[in-house]
Amino acid sequence: MKTIVVPFDFSSYSLEGLKTAQKIQSKTDAKILLVTVIPSEIDFEKLSEEAQKKYPDLIEQMEEAEEVLPEYIQKVAPAKAPIEQIVKIGVPYEQILRVAQANQADMIVMGAYGKGFEEGKFIGSNLQKMLRLAPMPVLAVKKALDGNDFRKIAFASTFHEDAPKAFAEIKSLVKAFKASVHQLFVNTPENFASSKEIKQGMDLFQSGNEEIVFHQHTYSAREVEKGIVAFCQEEGIHLLFLVSGHHASSPAYQIGVTETVLYQGDLGVLSLKV
């Protein structure tokens, strides 16, 4: 893992995301790109210098952020390794994605909410966009994950052919923390599978990963999301890996398993695409 992008809007949740990224950095030596976006519908960097001068308020906000960020980050999240700080103007999720893709980021780590958080609110709209649009893994947290949280991971899946491909993307992270992986199949009335089918899928998933410690679990529940959250609570697991479908063109009101699990629990959730 070489590059981690961390969106940062000065909220407490974005700070938890940064602290989590720093924990990953300490084990992988990855570079952290901290991205702060001044919200605007204007795609500022595509304007000419002359056109940019017509928006002095935006320029002032950007310059203020560039001035304040270094000292602020050093105060709230000091780190041994340097953090590259980037300030942009535009639509937040678009700018974050642009930075991540331009720098071939291996992962995006962000808080589940942003500055507009209200108690009882669903996950942040920017996070929802990132989960749908980012081609790289996205790790969302409500509170910072420490080293112990990375040593015991749940991988919830149906363990079909896509699961091993998704796991390969994040295998280096698992090995860096010497983590044990708890394979989880949630059996529901609508998606019932036999013990034999589940074991076959899990065994196939483990093939080629003999250096990693795996544990196999089947958990019965009426709903997949509630089953995942309940299992992790019972096992004392704080980090979950999920394989998400490609929902870039799905309606905004269509909510997936990843978003629901994030909302229902306090898990850190790493969303993987294949």
Side-chain angles (χ1 to χ4, degrees):
M1 185 164 295
K2 297 179 180 179
T3 305
I4 303 169
V5 165
V6 181
F8 191 82
D9 63 0
F10 293 91
S11 69
S12 60
Y13 284 100
S14 65
L15 178 57
E16 299 301 286
L18 173 57
K19 289 178 178 179
T20 299
Q22 288 177 315
K23 183 58 64 176
I24 298 171
Q25 183 187 57
S26 70
K27 287 290 185 180
T28 64
D29 293 324
K31 175 174 65 177
I32 291 179
L33 301 180
L34 192 76
V35 185
T36 297
V37 182
I38 310 302
S40 173
E41 292 299 318
I42 299 164
D43 197 342
F44 196 76
E45 63 187 25
K46 291 189 175 181
L47 297 178
S48 66
E49 286 188 25
E50 197 61 35
Q52 288 178 354
K53 292 177 183 177
K54 297 178 181 179
Y55 301 95
D57 289 347
L58 292 176
I59 294 172
E60 184 179 348
Q61 289 180 60
M62 182 171 69
E63 290 175 346
E64 183 181 357
E66 289 173 339
E67 182 180 346
V68 169
L69 264 172
E71 185 177 344
Y72 180 76
I73 295 303
Q74 184 59 34
K75 179 181 178 181
V76 299
K80 294 179 181 178
I83 297 171
E84 183 178 339
Q85 295 164 16
I86 300 170
V87 181
K88 297 283 188 180
I89 297 172
V91 177
Y93 77 87
E94 290 180 353
Q95 295 298 326
I96 295 163
L97 272 175
R98 196 174 291 174
V99 170
Q101 291 175 314
N103 289 276
Q104 298 180 315
D106 299 287
M107 181 187 294
I108 296 171
V109 181
M110 62 190 299
Y113 302 100
K115 288 180 90 173
F117 171 70
E118 296 174 7
E119 198 65 43
K121 184 180 177 182
F122 199 66
I123 64 171
S125 57
N126 283 318
L127 173 56
Q128 284 182 276
K129 290 285 189 182
M130 302 306 294
L131 290 171
R132 287 170 182 251
L133 300 175
M136 65 286 295
V138 177
L139 173 57
V141 299
K142 289 183 178 177
K143 54 186 179 181
L145 299 174
D146 63 24
N148 289 330
D149 295 330
F150 280 96
R151 292 182 62 82
K152 189 177 181 181
I153 299 165
F155 190 103
S157 174
T158 55
F159 297 97
H160 292 152
E161 61 181 20
D162 285 347
K165 297 176 187 174
F167 185 72
E169 283 193 57
I170 212 69
K171 182 177 176 179
S172 63
L173 179 65
V174 174
K175 291 176 69 175
F177 282 92
K178 299 179 181 177
S180 61
V181 178
H182 292 252
Q183 297 167 277
L184 173 63
F185 184 101
V186 178
N187 231 345
T188 64
E190 292 79 15
N191 189 34
F192 181 81
S194 70
S195 297
K196 183 179 179 180
E197 290 173 314
I198 296 168
K199 181 165 176 50
Q200 285 177 340
M202 289 183 174
D203 287 345
L204 184 62
F205 179 88
Q206 291 179 208
S207 179
N209 296 307
E210 285 75 15
E211 73 276 32
I212 295 171
V213 176
F214 288 97
H215 304 276
Q216 299 182 355
H217 306 269
T218 301
Y219 194 93
S220 297
R222 293 193 178 277
E223 298 175 19
V224 171
E225 298 89 344
K226 289 183 178 178
I228 291 172
V229 172
F231 169 82
C232 291
Q233 288 175 340
E234 291 173 16
E235 294 291 328
I237 293 173
H238 301 111
L239 177 57
L240 168 73
F241 290 1
L242 274 176
V243 181
S244 302
H246 289 271
H247 301 301
S249 58
S250 299
Y253 58 78
Q254 198 173 87
I255 305 301
V257 173
T258 306
E259 293 102 314
T260 305
V261 168
L262 274 166
Y263 176 65
Q264 291 183 351
D266 287 326
L267 292 165
V269 180
L270 180 64
S271 173
L272 299 161
K273 293 189 183 73
V274 289

